Amino acid sequence: MRPQTLSRLIGIVVVANLITQIAIIVTGGAVRLTGSGLGCSSWPNCEPGEFSPAFHEATSIHPYVEFGNRVFGAVVVLVALVLALLVGWAARSAHGPTPTPTVRYRRLAVAPLVLSVAQAVLGGMTVRFELHPALVGSHFLISAVLVWIAAWLVVGWFRPGTPRSVLPRPVHVLGWVLAALVGVVVVLGMIVTGAGPHSGDDEVGYRFTVDPVAVARLHSTSVWVFLALLIVFVVLVHRARPPADGGTHLGAAVRLRRWSLVLVAVTLAQGAIGYVQYFTGLPELLVGLHMLGAALLVATTAFTVSAMSARGRR
């Protein structure tokens, strides 16, 4: 395969990996919000001796929703496998104008495959232990980590090279503080959901033994802190003067300003959905949109943090 063709193919797959890692959060949310968490009572078979749901007069939608999520999980693993293989192939056939993936990038490209397989096993445990909130929550948090990794893989492929900061050190550090804080926001959001009414099955009543109102307020506070620091970050980014050493740094500065504004927009939209769902009794559609928003918040934060440094271009 020609190096240019291989490079384009990896570019397509690395973007597909990000999309599927975000989409599996949405399909997993659909399982939870439709009460289909135990739609399949076994794993990896849907029912003992039956790999897929069997249709009969008493069949509900739940087995098909749960099984559909499992099938899409297999797609996620397949995309991650293809990505790992292609990046490894590119490293072995390091000839021509296409830059060779670094050792660090090759290792990072294997992470989605390893974690996605682990997610499949965790999904089986979740069914086995009847949707224990800690297992369900861990399922979501690993997906959030996978979204972060997938975003960095996109950045590393399309903008390879050694990163060179385009910001003063204090502002650069503030960007990484935001990255850490978004992790706190996501974890607290998971606990809020685990304390709420959407367990994944109408017959599963136990949730996290915390005050849902108190933890919701704590989650909201973390979002406000994140937003306040983000506004400070955006102001400092727009006031910072990039190093006068060529167009690469100038282009990176423009990219960072754009991504920081996108992050503000995503944060405000996510916050608005959160407040509306809270005051309207947590309707399933809004909770699902909030889960999608969490994935987009993680990805957008990753792109913003990565834009703090100038890199090359493939």
Side-chain angles (χ1 to χ4, degrees):
M1 184 184 299
R2 296 173 56 188
Q4 294 88 345
T5 303
L6 178 58
S7 179
R8 285 195 295 269
L9 183 58
I10 294 176
I12 293 172
V13 176
V14 80
V15 173
N17 178 61
L18 174 60
I19 293 173
T20 54
Q21 296 295 352
I22 293 175
I24 194 69
I25 291 178
V26 177
T27 62
V31 171
R32 182 171 193 159
L33 297 171
T34 58
S36 303
L38 296 178
C40 291
S41 64
S42 183
W43 186 89
N45 290 339
C46 185
E47 301 293 343
E50 297 179 350
F51 177 70
S52 59
F55 178 79
H56 50 80
E57 291 183 359
T59 300
S60 67
I61 190 177
H62 300 319
Y64 297 100
V65 175
E66 164 65 9
F67 187 73
N69 182 59
R70 294 185 183 187
V71 171
F72 191 75
V75 173
V76 173
V77 172
L78 179 61
V79 172
L81 173 62
V82 171
L83 175 60
L85 292 175
L86 287 177
V87 171
W89 187 1
R92 289 191 298 270
S93 57
H95 303 288
T98 303
T100 306
T102 63
V103 173
R104 178 179 296 180
Y105 189 86
R106 295 200 299 271
R107 290 174 179 172
L108 190 63
V110 175
L113 175 60
V114 174
L115 290 178
S116 294
V117 171
Q119 280 284 70
V121 176
L122 183 58
M125 294 175 60
T126 303
V127 174
R128 172 66 179 80
F129 291 97
E130 298 185 343
L131 308 179
H132 191 285
L135 292 176
V136 176
S138 298
H139 215 31
F140 171 76
L141 292 181
I142 294 175
S143 285
V145 171
L146 280 163
V147 170
W148 180 275
I149 293 173
W152 276 97
L153 284 169
V154 171
V155 172
W157 184 254
F158 288 103
R159 293 196 290 120
T162 303
R164 301 174 302 280
S165 179
V166 298
L167 292 172
R169 182 171 177 78
V171 185
H172 195 94
V173 171
L174 178 58
W176 281 106
V177 169
L178 286 170
L181 190 54
V182 81
V184 174
V185 169
V186 170
V187 170
L188 289 175
M190 179 273 294
I191 297 174
V192 172
T193 304
H198 301 297
S199 66
D201 189 277
D202 293 337
E203 297 181 2
V204 176
Y206 56 85
R207 313 297 294 126
F208 282 134
T209 54
V210 296
D211 183 349
V213 175
V215 75
R217 288 174 178 171
L218 184 59
H219 173 57
S220 174
T221 299
S222 70
V223 174
W224 279 110
V225 172
F226 177 82
L227 180 59
L229 291 179
L230 176 58
I231 292 174
V232 173
F233 178 76
V234 170
V235 171
L236 294 176
V237 162
H238 281 73
R239 293 182 61 181
R241 299 181 62 182
D245 57 353
T248 301
H249 284 78
L250 179 60
V254 172
R255 183 183 300 109
L256 174 58
R257 291 170 182 172
R258 290 174 178 172
W259 273 116
S260 65
L261 293 176
V262 172
L263 182 55
V264 171
V266 171
T267 304
L268 290 175
Q270 180 71 337
I273 293 173
Y275 275 108
V276 172
Q277 71 170 6
Y278 180 81
F279 288 111
T280 55
L282 302 175
E284 287 81 358
L285 179 59
L286 287 182
V287 175
L289 288 176
H290 205 51
M291 295 181 70
L292 171 61
L296 295 178
L297 180 65
V298 170
T300 308
T301 303
F303 285 130
T304 301
V305 171
S306 70
M308 295 190 303
S309 300
R311 303 167 186 260
R313 186 173 182 178
R314 195 175 293 276

